[in-house]
Amino acid sequence: MALLERGYRVFALYRSKTDDLLQLADRGAITLKADLADPDSLDRAIANILQQSEAVHLLVNNASEFTADEADQQALARQASRLFQVNSVAPMILMAGLAGALRQGCSDNSAPTLVINITDIFVEKPNPKFAAYCASKAALSNLTLSYARMLAPEVRVNAIMPGPVRFLPDHTAEDQARVLSETLLAREGGFDCVVQQILALLDNHFMTGALIPVDGGRRLA
C-alpha cells in the first residue's frame, strides 16, 4: 500500500488469495499467482512481469515459510529442502531473472535501483528449534552480499532483518511475555517499522550490501 501511495506500479506474487491481496488488487496492484517452491512457476511469473514492464525499480523478496524442525530425519530433510527453495533459492531466481530489468530501471532514472531481501534476526542469533529455517535465511543474507557486489553499481541490494514485529495467532500470552522480555524495547514493532525501513532505503541512494536489523534490540538481549 505504501508503494502504491508513492506511485509505484506494483506486481504482487501470491500463492493463495487473501483479503489483503484483494485490497491490493482493488488499489491497482497487478497480482500474479506463483509458487515459490516451484522454479518453473517462478520462471513464468518473471516472464509475465517482463512482458508488462521492461524496467523494474524495486524488488522486495518478502514471502517465506517459518516452521520448527521436524523430529524425523527424513521429514527434516524434505522440510529443509523446501525451506531453502522458498526462503533463499526463490529470491535468488527472482534477483537473477529480473537483473536486466533492474539495470534498465537504473538507466531510466539514473539513480541505482533497489533490491530488498527480508531475512530475520535469527541470521545472527539462530534458534536451534528452527535450525533449517534459520539456515535458509542465513543463505539469503549471504546472497544479499553476493548480489550487492554482482549488480553494482546500477542496482543496490540490501536486507532487512525483522525481529518481533507482530505475534502470530498461535502465540500464547506466555510466548508473548517471553519474547518481549528478550526485546530491549519491550514491545511489538508492528509492520509499519519494516515499511518505514523499506521507504528509508528507497530514499537513501548510498546504501548497498547493508543488513539492517529492525528488531527492537532483541538480537542483543
Side-chain angles (χ1 to χ4, degrees):
M1 290 296 190
L3 294 172
L4 289 168
E5 289 172 3
R6 282 202 172 198
Y8 277 81
R9 185 185 184 203
V10 174
F11 293 87
L13 303 188
Y14 72 95
R15 186 177 63 174
S16 55
K17 289 187 177 180
T18 64
D19 290 342
D20 289 336
L21 182 77
L22 295 175
Q23 289 178 24
L24 278 176
D26 288 342
R27 289 286 302 274
I30 301 167
T31 59
L32 302 174
K33 189 168 186 177
D35 183 356
L36 299 187
D38 180 358
D40 291 337
S41 178
L42 277 174
D43 287 343
R44 290 192 293 271
I46 291 169
N48 200 333
I49 292 169
L50 296 178
Q51 285 175 357
Q52 300 184 61
S53 180
E54 293 182 354
V56 173
H57 299 93
L58 171 65
L59 168 63
V60 180
N61 286 310
N62 174 63
S64 67
E65 284 195 9
F66 176 70
T67 52
D69 286 359
E70 296 282 355
D72 176 77
Q73 182 176 346
Q74 291 185 343
L76 177 61
R78 292 191 297 270
Q79 176 193 32
S81 178
R82 179 178 175 86
L83 286 170
F84 269 86
Q85 172 60 42
V86 171
N87 295 348
S88 49
V89 176
M92 180 176 66
I93 290 172
L94 287 163
M95 287 189 288
L98 295 173
L102 286 159
R103 289 191 171 104
Q104 180 62 42
C106 174
S107 65
D108 282 354
N109 64 7
S110 74
T113 53
L114 177 61
V115 175
I116 299 175
N117 293 318
I118 307 298
T119 60
D120 198 300
I121 58 167
F122 284 164
V123 166
E124 294 184 353
K125 189 178 181 181
N127 184 332
K129 294 180 180 179
F130 297 85
Y133 166 82
C134 296
S136 70
K137 285 296 190 177
L140 181 56
S141 181
N142 190 271
L143 284 166
T144 299
L145 302 180
S146 292
Y147 273 82
R149 296 187 66 177
M150 188 186 309
L151 300 181
E154 297 92 350
V155 184
R156 300 182 295 119
V157 185
N158 296 286
I160 295 174
M161 304 158 57
V165 296
R166 182 67 60 85
F167 288 115
L168 297 172
D170 58 354
H171 279 129
T172 66
E174 291 77 13
D175 292 333
Q176 296 182 30
R178 176 183 53 78
V179 170
L180 294 181
S181 72
E182 298 170 353
T183 303
L184 297 187
L185 297 184
R187 63 179 186 272
E188 283 181 282
F191 294 133
D192 284 348
C193 66
V194 177
V195 173
Q196 290 166 9
Q197 188 57 60
I198 289 172
L199 298 179
L201 284 169
L202 277 169
D203 293 337
N204 188 338
H205 292 168
F206 203 57
M207 289 186 68
T208 195
L211 311 175
I212 304 166
V214 179
D215 68 340
R218 190 183 180 201
R219 75 199 183 284
L220 302 176

